[in-house]
Amino acid sequence: MNVVSDRPSAGGRDEPVSTAVLILEDGRVFRGAAYGAEGETFGEMVFNTGMTGYQETLTDPSYARQIVAMTAPHIGNTGVNEEDPESRRIQVAGYVVREPARVASSWRATGSLGSALREQGVVGIAITGTRALTRHLRDRGAMRAGIFSGPAAAAPERELLEKVLASPSMEGADLARDVSTPEPYVVEAHGEKRFTVAAVDLGIKSMTPYRMAQRGCEVHVLPATSTAADILAIGPDGVFFSNGPGDPAVADYAVDALRGVLDAGTPFFGICFGNQIFGRALGLGTYKLRFGHRGINQPVKDRTTGKVDVSAHNHGFAVDAPADGPFDTPYGRAEVSHVNLNDGCVEGLRLLDRPAFSVQYHPEAAAGPHDASGLFDRFCDLMQGKGPR
């Protein structure tokens, strides 16, 4: 939980106003200036390599309980607006930047990033060593961390480190139900309705049902703990499982629900966390990546077509699946459909005998390239009965 003070920066601009310290669980210390709200916060320390889309990153529920460092050197240049958020509020536990913009400059801006962080109680820090921090995380892996600013930064480093070590780990964390919608809601189809989609919100971004609505889908967004009976009661033409935070190894409720959907033979599409849940439903395991994929520049190869997409990612866990050919599951044959060209990580799965597939990345492209947007069309093809692919 964040403990914060909403002290404004001088002159209404985003200049940092007091000292701050970032402490990693292995004892590495970075000192800098406070940015956003003052106080203390804890989370898993990760980095994002995107050069744009900071507002979408901050409001992505998949970043719950994570402190995010931006590798791009200038953050906040275009301020914030009311159109780009991917959820109701900023979701990150803390924020690390190199050089905050002093003034927001965009015709779309309705406020500054620093002000938004303060208003929502998000503790941040500006440090000159974001490159050193990123290299450290790539070498040592993602780890717990804490940001302390204002009076909280005055305590001895030993005491602050003890607080970091007492904070919860991401492994074993069940967070999807914490960020999910508490009640179902409907996103209407744009124009003529073609399909009804039941979308299980494990941490969904608002652009995702919008992309489906653009294709004539009426999207019923359901809470993370919805059962197979709840999902199928919608009478869906297809079922979608979204992205989300936490460890997929503990989200048994989502796995059970998906197995019921697969038993019913309803077309299925999953992304990110939904891909990991799909893997578990097929009997596969998951594991934690050393530092994960977070950014908008990951190259992924579709093994069925040979096409390479540059794609948007945000995940710290992956599916452990055999990549050398089809394998048997309780639902027939399956195969790894997509792989990451940087590290060989499994980036997609598909059933060969039933209409179900998933990818580990974000085809809604908010923010990010639009290379993978055709996956929503592939889902529509499944719902139209054009085959398992």
Side-chain angles (χ1 to χ4, degrees):
M1 184 178 72
N2 299 359
V3 181
V4 303
S5 165
D6 188 19
R7 192 172 81 179
S9 59
R13 298 189 176 208
D14 276 356
E15 294 98 329
V17 296
S18 66
T19 60
V21 59
L22 167 67
I23 297 184
L24 307 184
E25 71 170 279
D26 66 356
R28 184 75 183 268
V29 176
F30 295 85
R31 292 197 169 272
Y35 183 49
E38 290 185 1
E40 62 183 39
T41 189
F42 306 92
E44 181 184 46
M45 186 72 246
V46 300
F47 60 88
N48 181 293
T49 58
M51 295 184 67
T52 186
Y54 59 79
Q55 188 171 356
E56 291 91 338
T57 293
L58 285 166
T59 55
D60 181 352
S62 297
Y63 282 112
R65 205 193 287 175
Q66 291 182 320
I67 298 173
V68 180
M70 303 300 292
T71 61
H74 299 110
I75 298 296
N77 303 49
T78 55
V80 296
N81 59 62
E82 301 301 320
E83 300 171 5
D84 292 344
E86 288 299 317
S87 66
R88 296 180 297 273
R89 58 162 289 119
I90 294 175
Q91 302 283 350
V92 302
Y95 204 44
V96 182
V97 301
R98 185 185 188 278
E99 186 174 343
R102 291 178 295 167
V103 178
S105 178
S106 171
W107 66 271
R108 299 176 66 233
T110 57
S112 72
L113 176 56
S115 295
L117 294 170
R118 287 192 298 274
E119 290 166 3
Q120 298 192 41
V122 180
V123 178
I125 184 173
I127 62 174
T128 58
T130 50
R131 178 175 294 183
L133 172 61
T134 301
R135 289 177 63 90
H136 188 77
L137 295 175
R138 284 179 61 88
D139 290 341
R140 304 291 183 88
M143 63 185 75
R144 292 172 295 173
I147 300 175
F148 308 87
S149 61
E157 291 180 3
R158 180 185 68 259
E159 294 181 10
L160 301 182
L161 178 59
E162 289 175 355
K163 288 186 175 183
V164 172
L165 295 175
S167 64
S169 170
M170 188 58 69
E171 291 186 83
D174 181 11
L175 302 179
R177 67 176 84 206
D178 293 341
V179 300
S180 180
T181 180
E183 299 292 336
Y185 63 92
V186 177
V187 178
E188 300 290 346
H190 296 186
E192 181 181 356
K193 175 185 170 181
R194 298 173 60 208
F195 307 107
T196 299
V197 173
V200 177
D201 176 8
L202 302 170
I204 201 167
K205 297 168 71 175
S206 62
M207 185 58 74
T208 303
Y210 180 84
R211 294 296 189 210
M212 288 187 276
Q214 287 179 313
R215 290 161 169 81
C217 299
E218 179 184 273
V219 185
H220 294 248
V221 183
L222 305 176
T225 54
S226 298
T227 65
D230 297 329
I231 297 167
L232 297 174
I234 302 296
D237 299 300
V239 174
F240 174 83
F241 273 41
S242 80
N243 59 291
D247 187 345
V250 298
D252 293 340
Y253 51 90
V255 175
D256 291 341
L258 181 50
R259 284 174 174 161
V261 170
L262 296 175
D263 286 336
T266 306
F268 168 76
F269 177 32
I271 67 170
C272 202
F273 198 80
N275 174 69
Q276 297 158 13
I277 297 302
F278 185 40
R280 286 199 56 206
L282 299 182
L284 302 171
T286 58
Y287 64 97
K288 196 172 190 306
L289 295 167
R290 187 171 63 174
F291 50 82
H293 303 156
R294 298 174 181 89
I296 55 177
N297 53 4
Q298 291 281 332
V300 170
K301 181 178 180 179
D302 184 337
R303 300 176 73 188
T304 62
T305 65
K307 182 174 179 284
V308 176
D309 290 335
V310 176
S311 53
H313 286 230
N314 175 13
H315 66 107
F317 293 85
V319 176
D320 186 8
D324 55 354
F327 54 91
D328 293 328
T329 78
Y331 307 98
R333 297 170 303 146
E335 69 178 6
V336 172
S337 58
H338 297 72
V339 294
N340 190 294
L341 295 182
N342 284 337
D343 60 10
C345 175
V346 172
E347 295 287 358
L349 300 164
R350 66 169 184 155
L351 286 175
L352 300 179
D353 304 314
R354 298 195 188 200
F357 74 106
S358 63
V359 294
Q360 186 58 64
Y361 47 99
H362 289 247
E364 86 292 331
H370 292 220
D371 295 23
S373 61
L375 291 170
F376 291 113
D377 297 315
R378 185 182 298 184
F379 184 37
C380 290
D381 286 346
L382 283 189
M383 291 187 287
Q384 202 165 9
K386 292 186 177 180
R389 299 185 183 183

